[in-house]
Amino acid sequence: MISAILVMALGAVVLGAALGYASIKFKVEGDPLVEKIDAILPQTQCGQCGYPGCKPYAEAIAKGEADINCCPPGGDEGIRKLADLLGREFKPLSGEHGVEKPKSVAFVDEQFCIGCTLCIQACPVDAIVGAAKQMHTIVAAQCTGCELCVEPCPVDCIAMVPIAESVETWKWRYPVFEIKPAGTAR
Amino acid sequence: MGESIQVEVVYAKAERQELVRLKLPQGSTIQQAVEASGLLARCPEIELAKAKVGIFGKLARLDTALRDKDRVEIYRPLIADPKEVRKQRAAEGKVMKKGGGPAEE
């Protein structure tokens, strides 16, 4: 009798210790779903979805507050990936948040820049180098193409220049397989 | 002491932007960062004594001490004269936006 209780107690202690160790060792920081959604979003931080950045939008999607078709820079491809991840139906980009455009970076026309710093304050990713009454220049490698600097410029000297497709910028397209009705395929 | 800080030095031209990541000892100044970056050799047009420098969009002096994760920026002068641009735009009848807000009709 005593030995049976001891065996059960020992078993409980061992299993408890194992579970306790596992919960510390394999602790998950934050919400892994938010991370996965955030990884799909284009990180333009443009705010076109109505949230202040890609991460807040990812959190809203994970909570079910936001729909998956509110990200114009991500485009149809981004929506397809999100639909895949979340097991939802694909739906086209909602028009109220904007339209998908080719990926661009901002470019300052140096003939007109007056060094007002308004574009620098607008840039969500600190991609603009410049200070008061100094030339403002956009670091193309860091520009996400969010267009937030275009509107504030008082002399309209910022233009969006589409990036030409090159070996560095080319990406795999999301594969789309057309399913043909059985009758038409020959 | 003995700890190092990580900073970036950037010199941006319209068509090409140079960005160098550096590890420097704590207490380094802007001048030391620019010299360590090697940008002076790569872009001989920089005259450090004359050029304006700053950290993250704020003008600063060459002897300013850096903090971890600072971005040292070497600026170039404006081409346009702000007053002239404003005058020109006024003459063309374009409305100048004030404070970054949308132009008023």
Side-chain angles (χ1 to χ4, degrees):
Chain A
M1 174 71 185
I2 293 283
S3 64
I5 289 169
L6 277 179
V7 165
M8 292 308 284
L10 190 72
V13 166
V14 168
L15 287 176
L19 283 173
Y21 173 75
S23 78
I24 294 163
K25 171 91 182 178
F26 302 111
K27 193 173 163 85
V28 178
E29 294 284 348
D31 189 345
L33 184 60
V34 172
E35 302 292 322
K36 275 187 198 157
I37 297 171
D38 197 35
I40 291 172
L41 296 176
Q43 304 305 318
T44 47
Q45 318 297 352
C46 62
Q48 287 181 71
C49 52
Y51 293 88
C54 294
K55 190 77 180 275
Y57 179 44
E59 280 161 8
I61 294 177
K63 272 190 222 152
E65 289 166 5
D67 219 333
I68 57 172
N69 61 345
C70 304
C71 177
D76 281 352
E77 205 181 313
I79 298 169
R80 277 215 176 80
K81 281 187 193 159
L82 286 174
D84 245 17
L85 174 71
L86 302 167
R88 290 197 212 165
E89 228 17 70
F90 168 81
K91 45 178 107 171
L93 187 65
S94 91
E96 59 179 298
H97 296 282
V99 288
E100 190 180 355
K101 293 178 200 161
K103 186 154 165 41
S104 321
V105 293
F107 187 79
V108 172
D109 186 345
E110 308 214 321
Q111 297 300 325
F112 295 104
C113 177
I114 57 172
C116 69
T117 73
L118 289 174
C119 58
I120 296 175
Q121 292 162 38
C123 182
V125 293
D126 278 332
I128 308 180
V129 174
K133 296 194 183 109
Q134 305 298 319
M135 182 62 74
H136 296 355
T137 315
I138 286 151
V139 181
Q142 295 183 341
C143 177
T144 63
C146 69
E147 303 187 4
L148 291 176
C149 54
V150 176
E151 181 59 30
C153 180
V155 292
D156 291 331
C157 75
I158 302 180
M160 299 306 296
V161 182
I163 305 175
E165 200 162 79
S166 72
V167 178
E168 282 101 56
T169 56
W170 185 85
K171 268 191 197 150
W172 275 101
R173 293 263 152 71
Y174 191 89
V176 179
F177 300 106
E178 298 284 336
I179 299 171
K180 289 181 195 144
T184 58
R186 254 178 267 166
Chain B
M1 291 303 281
E3 284 174 61
S4 61
I5 53 170
Q6 211 154 14
V7 297
E8 287 179 343
V9 181
V10 57
Y11 177 65
K13 286 174 281 186
E15 68 285 359
R16 196 181 153 77
Q17 297 90 35
E18 307 277 356
L19 199 144
V20 182
R21 290 201 172 81
L22 288 175
K23 243 188 184 161
L24 293 171
Q26 197 135 32
S28 298
T29 63
I30 291 183
Q31 175 145 22
Q32 286 165 338
V34 173
E35 280 163 3
S37 71
L39 283 179
L40 295 175
R42 235 192 293 168
C43 311
E45 70 270 24
I46 305 174
E47 287 179 67
L48 196 51
K50 272 198 224 155
K52 292 263 191 352
V53 293
I55 299 168
F56 272 124
K58 295 255 156 60
L59 286 167
R61 297 211 331 230
L62 278 174
D63 55 5
T64 309
L66 293 170
R67 292 184 299 176
D68 196 22
K69 310 260 190 321
D70 270 350
R71 181 170 79 185
V72 175
E73 304 171 340
I74 307 168
Y75 301 125
R76 293 174 301 131
L78 293 174
I79 297 172
D81 177 21
K83 270 190 195 164
E84 283 303 315
V85 173
R86 278 167 197 273
K87 260 189 220 159
Q88 211 180 316
R89 283 182 67 86
E92 282 170 20
K94 284 181 192 158
V95 190
M96 203 73 162
K97 290 177 273 182
K98 285 202 181 98
E104 285 146 47
E105 263 96 277

